[in-house]
Amino acid sequence: MRICVAGAYGAFGIKHLDALAAIEGVTVTSVMGPTREKIDALAAQRGIGHAATDLAECLARDDVDAVILATPTQLHAEQAIACMKAGKPVLIEIPMADSLEDSEAICAVQKETGVLAMAGQVRRFNPSHQWIHNKIMAGELKGQQMDVQTYFFPPSNMKAKGEPRSWTDHLLWHHACHTVDLFQYQTGGEVVQAYGLEGPHHPELGIAMDMSIGLKAANGAICTLSLSFNNDGPLGTFFRYICDNGTYIARYDDLFDGKENPIDLSDVAVSNNGIELIDREFIAAIQEGREPNGSVHDVLAAMKTLDQIERSFG
């Protein structure tokens, strides 16, 4: 499998390059980024044969079988559609788009072309959340509440690597997208009630710096999600699963019970790296000719919920 990583020198582009290096039979043959000097340097450092500043150049190559998009969010829909129309399966980093309209357009082109398209909902693949999902599917747990805290702080709209972004981060369409999709995945259905509350907007960035979201699933489970760019403390997302048969705390790829005792996740998956696991699913789905876990159609329900929440802000 020969892969192009677009947005390769961003924080998540690097994570995908590292993940792909751990997967047997996979070669990154092309990388794309907006700055010629940086993308050439990255290609040379990683021993990648082709680098470009134009995605169309990468898509035209015979040695590119599939594409991972780790580019700015506002480019996702246009680029994903271009990949599918070029016959290249595509994995779109979260969020697959920052509007319901663009998400629906991606899904429509996927149906039209039949080319595999997957959304990068990595929480489905983190071993901590996989462990919970497996217990739910086996009937050993029933979720009653997800209590989630998502805290990040962009002092000047910076990337995770400390460089200025070419796009504006968003608590709803970027950060809440993880939890909304995960909640629907863990409860097995679409959200039947959703609301959101916004705090004050940043005077320059024009985005809400604090947000509260409430969700209810068809099975009665609820989710309470707090998000902030103002929190002075540990950054990241922290999940508390309150179940009928125990409480569990997930922190990225680690899992603890309600009393902070660690839970062994060594037999959940072949890796404890969620990015590697999502890349493995993408590649396996292409090779096996099947829909991936996290196809754009799977994730569309979450995008509909995000749109509903956004409209509830008034």
Side-chain angles (χ1 to χ4, degrees):
M1 184 68 63
R2 300 166 299 178
I3 304 290
C4 168
V5 178
Y9 62 71
F12 274 83
I14 296 296
K15 287 179 183 289
H16 282 287
L17 290 176
D18 291 342
L20 293 167
I23 304 174
E24 186 177 354
V26 172
T27 305
V28 177
T29 53
S30 178
V31 286
M32 190 278 283
T35 306
R36 171 56 67 182
E37 182 180 357
K38 288 184 177 181
I39 200 63
D40 284 348
L42 177 65
Q45 177 189 2
R46 296 268 178 163
I48 297 167
H50 176 257
T53 58
D54 180 16
L55 181 61
E57 180 181 327
C58 303
L59 296 178
R61 295 181 64 85
D62 291 336
D63 63 351
V64 170
D65 299 317
V67 179
I68 294 174
L69 294 178
T71 50
T73 301
Q74 76 269 19
L75 302 177
H76 285 181
E78 177 185 349
Q79 291 179 336
I81 288 169
C83 289
M84 289 183 283
K85 289 189 173 181
K88 311 288 187 180
V90 59
L91 170 60
I92 313 160
E93 252 303 338
I94 189 170
M96 68 171 170
D98 55 5
S99 72
L100 177 58
E101 180 181 9
D102 280 350
S103 301
E104 290 176 333
I106 291 171
C107 290
V109 173
Q110 195 290 317
K111 286 185 177 179
E112 173 192 324
T113 63
V115 177
L116 184 147
M118 181 177 176
Q121 299 292 153
V122 69
R123 295 289 171 261
R124 294 181 177 223
F125 297 89
N126 292 121
S128 53
H129 300 297
Q130 276 202 54
W131 189 93
I132 296 288
H133 189 74
N134 293 342
K135 294 286 186 182
I136 292 172
M137 292 297 99
E140 298 174 23
L141 285 179
K142 180 181 179 183
Q144 296 172 322
Q145 180 176 182
M146 281 176 61
D147 186 77
V148 186
Q149 298 173 326
T150 294
Y151 298 140
F152 284 85
F153 181 61
S156 56
N157 204 24
M158 303 294 280
K159 297 179 183 178
K161 290 179 67 179
E163 300 174 356
R165 282 194 175 101
S166 61
W167 54 283
T168 301
D169 203 357
H170 201 285
L171 286 177
L172 180 65
W173 285 98
H174 183 188
H175 296 290
C177 186
H178 282 290
T179 297
V180 170
D181 177 73
L182 180 65
F183 180 64
Q184 295 184 179
Y185 181 60
Q186 300 290 44
T187 57
E190 293 192 20
V191 163
V192 295
Q193 287 181 256
Y195 74 87
L197 299 171
E198 284 189 307
H201 284 211
H202 190 281
E204 296 172 1
L205 301 178
I207 56 173
M209 300 296 284
D210 292 276
M211 193 174 292
S212 176
I213 289 173
L215 307 170
K216 185 173 184 178
N219 69 356
I222 62 172
C223 175
T224 303
L225 170 60
S226 167
L227 308 103
S228 181
F229 285 140
N230 286 318
N231 179 60
D232 182 13
L235 302 182
T237 302
F238 315 102
F239 300 81
R240 180 180 294 270
Y241 287 92
I242 300 173
C243 305
D244 62 341
N245 189 23
T247 293
Y248 301 92
I249 302 165
R251 301 185 182 101
Y252 290 96
D253 293 315
D254 297 315
L255 186 67
F256 305 84
D257 67 18
K259 297 179 176 61
E260 295 284 352
N261 297 306
I263 292 174
D264 181 12
L265 302 175
S266 60
D267 62 347
V268 173
V270 297
S271 169
N272 66 353
N273 180 337
I275 300 294
E276 178 185 334
L277 295 174
I278 201 169
D279 288 352
R280 285 181 178 275
E281 171 65 7
F282 176 55
I283 291 159
I286 296 169
Q287 292 173 332
E288 296 166 13
R290 60 170 174 81
E291 283 289 286
N293 178 6
S295 77
V296 292
H297 302 291
D298 289 342
V299 176
L300 186 60
M303 310 310 280
K304 290 178 179 178
T305 300
L306 294 175
D307 180 70
Q308 179 182 347
I309 293 167
E310 186 170 61
R311 286 186 283 107
S312 78
F313 293 148

